[in-house]
């Protein structure tokens, strides 16, 4: 079962209060984590954007979109890591249709 690979996209929003160095470090951390468990297809850093509504009293966030291929079990672990990482305001992982 571990031989099954699916295509996914994840988008996450980081707090701009972290500062540029910390944001770059977190983005790299997530890219390294995904590469350790699969392959990255594309990384699209949208940068600082205004949020549609305040999240944790913040008006702006740093958006990053990563398309990757991995085993289905990894997405649960990635979601868990997003939730416990300070500075991640929101995250979403979706499976793309093949």
């Amino acid at each position: 079962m571990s031989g099954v690979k699916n295509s996914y996209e994840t988008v996450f929003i980081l707090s701009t209060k972290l500062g540029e160095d910390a944001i770059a470090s977190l983005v790299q951390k997530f890219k390294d984590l995904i590469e350790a468990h699969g392959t990255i297809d594309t990384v699209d850093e949208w940068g600082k954007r205004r949020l549609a509504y305040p999240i944790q009293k913040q008006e702006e966030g740093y958006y990053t979109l990563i398309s990757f291929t991995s085993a289905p079990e990894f997405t649960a672990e990635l979601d868990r890591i997003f939730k416990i990482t300070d500075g991640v305001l929101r995250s979403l992982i979706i499976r793309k249709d093949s």
Side-chain angles (χ1 to χ4, degrees), residues 31-92:
K31 288 194 307 193
D32 292 344
L33 180 67
I34 292 168
E35 282 183 333
H37 294 89
T39 56
I40 292 180
D41 301 325
T42 60
V43 176
D44 192 7
E45 293 191 36
W46 297 345
K48 191 189 304 186
R49 303 261 175 128
R50 185 163 178 79
L51 300 172
Y53 54 89
I55 301 173
Q56 299 174 6
K57 298 183 182 178
Q58 296 187 49
E59 301 286 331
E60 290 184 326
Y62 190 89
Y63 287 71
T64 305
L65 172 75
I66 301 176
S67 296
F68 64 98
T69 305
S70 75
E73 303 83 38
F74 171 64
T75 57
E77 177 66 10
L78 181 60
D79 191 44
R80 185 187 73 79
I81 292 170
F82 279 144
K83 288 180 178 163
I84 64 171
T85 303
D86 289 337
V88 176
L89 299 177
R90 290 285 189 273
S91 64
L92 177 70

